[in-house]
């Protein structure tokens, strides 16, 4: 065996802190180079042991708790599975549709909560239809049944809330906060058919 | 029977905090020591061993069991983090800071040990890795081969080369005292 091959063996002996076998011992006794190397390898092993002890002695700040808190925070957020979010969104959508429908029904009944009526209504015969009403500065209220021939209509003077006018399709300045005086054509069934903003109304 | 690292990892990804804690307690101490010996700084070692687990629980982590063990994946993260730290500049708080207040401290505070530690830190990474894992962490060649993703023969030859470098350093360190004693 060459010195380099013996060296491989003596390094392993030094690492494992075992006694070299007889053949290696014989070589170490006759080879000064390998013998020196053997001494240094043993010293190296001792220094490594010291380094291990040094590492073990060091006090350190455990960051375990902060990691566990971070983990809990991340997984609390993730804990709700995506299908729950989907279900929640669907429920919110249904609720919005229902509320919209209810609000629509309230608006179609109309004007009642949003209208304050002044004085006695003036009665007219509805020889005119909705388009005729529109021509006389009246704005036809959409989605209401047409007037029957001969149906009597009343024109009432009322203060309308801007929201009520907006729901009838009248353009209203959103900044407007007060009531608007208007003439409302009401059919025999009590439903408004047309609206006319009074001339003295100020937007 | 203890669950494997990979089983704990799968549970952890499902939000099982106990699995994460178990994985942390099992792997963090060795990762800390690895980072400590590789960087020479306690502060860096603490930061690295913490960051490894932060990355592990992060959404971007894509550990693939078919490509290797979780342990080697963790060492890979630690090695990359240490590389980044070393690139930033010299590390503070050297691990070879002498401790003089007891007998063990005197042994550990030995100047030769400190000099060897400095030499170790200045070695190329491929040698430093094997010295730290084989000789300081006392892992088997097979374990180290798995951790660094190299054949056992490569690990063995790198270790012998690294020890030869340290042995030469030791020879130089021993030389002045030998002169004095003559």
């Amino acid at each position: 065996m060459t010195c380099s091959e013996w060296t491989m063996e003596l390094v392993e002996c030094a690492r494992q802190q075992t006694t070299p076998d007889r053949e290696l011992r014989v070589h170490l006794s006759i080879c000064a180079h390998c013998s020196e190397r053997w001494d240094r390898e043993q010293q190296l092993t001792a220094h490594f042991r010291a380094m291990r002890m040094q590492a073990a002695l060091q006090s350190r700040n455990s960051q375990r708790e902060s990691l566990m808190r971070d983990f809990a925070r991340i997984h609390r957020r993730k804990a709700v599975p995506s299908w729950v979010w989907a279900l929640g969104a669907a429920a919110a959508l249904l609720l919005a549709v229902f509320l919209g429908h209810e609000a629509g029904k309230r608006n179609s009944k109309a004007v009642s909560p949003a209208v304050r009526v002044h004085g006695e209504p003036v009665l007219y015969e509805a020889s005119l239809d909705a388009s005729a009403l529109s021509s006389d500065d009246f704005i036809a209220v959409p989605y209401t049944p047409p007037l029957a021939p001969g149906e009597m209509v009343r024109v009432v003077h009322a203060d309308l809330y801007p929201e009520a006018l907006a729901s009838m399709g009248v353009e209203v300045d959103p900044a407007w906060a007060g009531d608007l005086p208007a003439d409302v054509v009401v059919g025999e069934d009590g439903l408004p058919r047309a609206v006319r903003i009074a001339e003295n109304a100020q937007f | 029977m203890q669950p494997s690292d990979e089983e704990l990892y799968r549970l952890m990804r499902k939000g099982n905090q106990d699995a994460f804690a178990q994985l942390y307690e099992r792997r963090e101490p060795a990762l800390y020591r690895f980072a400590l010996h590789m960087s020479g700084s306690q502060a860096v070692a603490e930061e690295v061993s913490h960051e490894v687990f932060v990355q592990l629980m992060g959404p971007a982590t894509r550990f693939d069991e078919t490509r290797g063990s979780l342990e080697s994946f963790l060492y890979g993260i630690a090695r990359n983090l240490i590389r980044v730290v070393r690139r930033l500049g010299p590390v503070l708080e050297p691990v070879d800071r002498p401790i003089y207040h007891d007998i063990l401290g005197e042994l550990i505070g030995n100047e030769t040990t400190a000099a060897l530690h400095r030499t170790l830190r200045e070695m190329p990474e491929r040698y430093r890795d094997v010295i730290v894992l084989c000789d300081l962490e006392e892992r088997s060649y097979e374990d180290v081969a798995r951790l660094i993703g190299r054949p056992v023969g490569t690990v063995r030859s790198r270790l012998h080369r690294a020890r030869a470098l340290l042995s030469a350093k030791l020879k130089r360190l021993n030389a002045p005292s030998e002169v004095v004693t003559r």
Side-chain angles (χ1 to χ4, degrees):
Chain A
M1 277 175 86
T2 63
C3 278
S4 129
E5 286 166 331
W6 283 121
T7 304
M8 298 284 276
E9 205 171 316
L10 69 85
V11 165
E12 289 306 320
C13 285
R15 287 189 66 234
Q16 291 156 29
Q17 298 177 71
T18 54
T19 312
D21 62 19
R22 202 181 64 82
E23 279 182 279
L24 180 54
R25 282 205 307 272
V26 169
H27 178 74
L28 291 175
S29 67
I30 56 170
C31 177
H33 176 264
C34 285
S35 180
E36 257 184 54
R37 178 72 189 266
W38 167 241
D39 287 344
R40 287 200 303 273
E41 285 298 329
Q42 285 181 299
Q43 285 175 42
L44 261 185
T45 300
H47 285 298
F48 287 147
R49 199 182 318 128
M51 287 181 200
R52 277 199 298 275
M53 281 192 279
Q54 184 181 14
L57 279 178
Q58 283 189 340
S59 63
R60 44 185 293 218
N61 304 319
S62 172
Q63 300 184 66
R64 186 185 183 282
E65 293 314 310
S66 74
L67 261 178
M68 294 303 142
R69 273 197 304 275
D70 288 348
F71 184 89
R73 186 170 43 77
I74 289 170
H75 286 276
R76 222 185 0 255
R77 249 197 339 243
K78 279 174 65 180
V80 182
S82 53
W83 62 266
V84 173
W85 288 111
L87 204 62
L93 191 65
L94 276 175
L95 185 66
V97 168
F98 173 75
L99 290 176
H101 181 69
E102 286 297 304
K105 275 195 331 201
R106 268 201 304 277
N107 282 343
S108 68
K109 273 180 198 160
V111 194
S112 44
V115 175
R116 203 175 303 134
V117 177
H118 298 289
E120 287 299 310
V122 182
L123 288 172
Y124 296 91
E125 186 182 350
S127 56
L128 46 170
D129 58 13
S131 59
L133 287 172
S134 297
S135 66
D136 195 14
D137 292 337
F138 276 95
I139 301 162
V141 176
Y143 313 118
T144 50
L147 292 167
E151 183 179 346
M152 296 300 290
V153 294
R154 291 170 294 163
V155 173
V156 294
H157 303 288
D159 289 336
L160 296 184
Y161 299 138
E163 302 87 67
L165 284 169
S167 71
M168 292 174 191
V170 178
E171 278 187 30
V172 180
D173 182 354
W176 180 258
D179 300 343
L180 290 169
D183 298 328
V184 181
V185 176
V186 182
E188 284 180 356
D189 54 6
L191 292 175
R193 292 303 202 285
V195 176
R196 178 177 62 191
I197 306 298
E199 281 177 6
N200 59 347
Q202 290 183 351
F203 289 94
Chain B
M1 194 178 136
Q2 290 260 334
S4 69
D5 286 357
E6 289 72 23
E7 284 167 339
L8 290 176
Y9 175 77
R10 283 194 292 271
L11 290 171
M12 181 206 110
R13 295 306 295 185
K14 290 177 187 161
N16 185 328
Q17 188 166 349
D18 287 342
F20 181 60
Q22 219 175 315
L23 200 53
Y24 179 84
E25 276 150 23
R26 187 184 291 178
R27 295 297 168 206
E28 194 271 349
L31 282 166
Y32 169 80
R33 289 193 305 269
F34 174 74
L36 180 67
H37 291 305
M38 291 290 280
S39 67
S41 160
Q42 189 176 351
V44 170
E46 281 176 5
E47 182 67 28
V48 166
S49 58
H50 176 78
E51 187 59 27
V52 167
F53 286 91
V54 168
Q55 290 197 13
L56 185 69
M57 70 176 155
T61 299
R62 292 286 175 265
F63 164 64
D64 182 358
E65 277 182 50
T66 60
R67 294 176 61 194
S69 68
L70 182 71
E71 192 184 11
S72 52
F73 180 75
L74 296 177
Y75 273 91
I77 299 175
R79 204 174 290 114
N80 285 337
L81 290 169
I82 293 162
R83 261 182 224 139
V84 170
V85 171
R86 286 172 68 90
R87 231 176 277 141
L88 293 174
V91 284
L92 303 171
E93 302 174 67
V95 76
D96 49 20
R97 181 180 47 209
I99 305 165
Y100 290 112
H101 43 263
D102 57 20
I103 296 167
L104 191 58
E106 281 178 29
L107 171 66
I108 291 166
N110 181 300
E111 280 183 21
T112 310
T113 304
L116 282 175
H117 218 141
R118 277 195 296 276
T119 309
L120 176 63
R121 289 204 305 273
E122 287 155 14
M123 273 182 160
E125 191 183 289
R126 61 184 184 279
Y127 296 140
R128 203 158 18 108
D129 263 353
V130 291
I131 286 282
V132 169
L133 291 170
C134 294
D135 283 344
L136 293 172
E137 284 297 302
E138 300 181 288
R139 308 288 294 253
S140 69
Y141 286 137
E142 289 74 19
D143 264 4
V144 177
R146 188 173 47 79
L147 289 180
I148 67 171
R150 291 282 180 273
V152 172
T154 305
V155 172
R156 193 192 300 266
S157 62
R158 280 185 186 177
L159 181 74
H160 282 244
R161 177 73 188 132
R163 282 189 76 115
L165 291 172
L166 289 172
S167 176
K169 176 73 178 180
L170 202 55
K171 189 177 180 179
R172 286 196 297 278
L173 290 168
N174 288 341
S177 58
E178 283 169 7
V179 169
V180 170
T181 52
R182 273 178 200 159

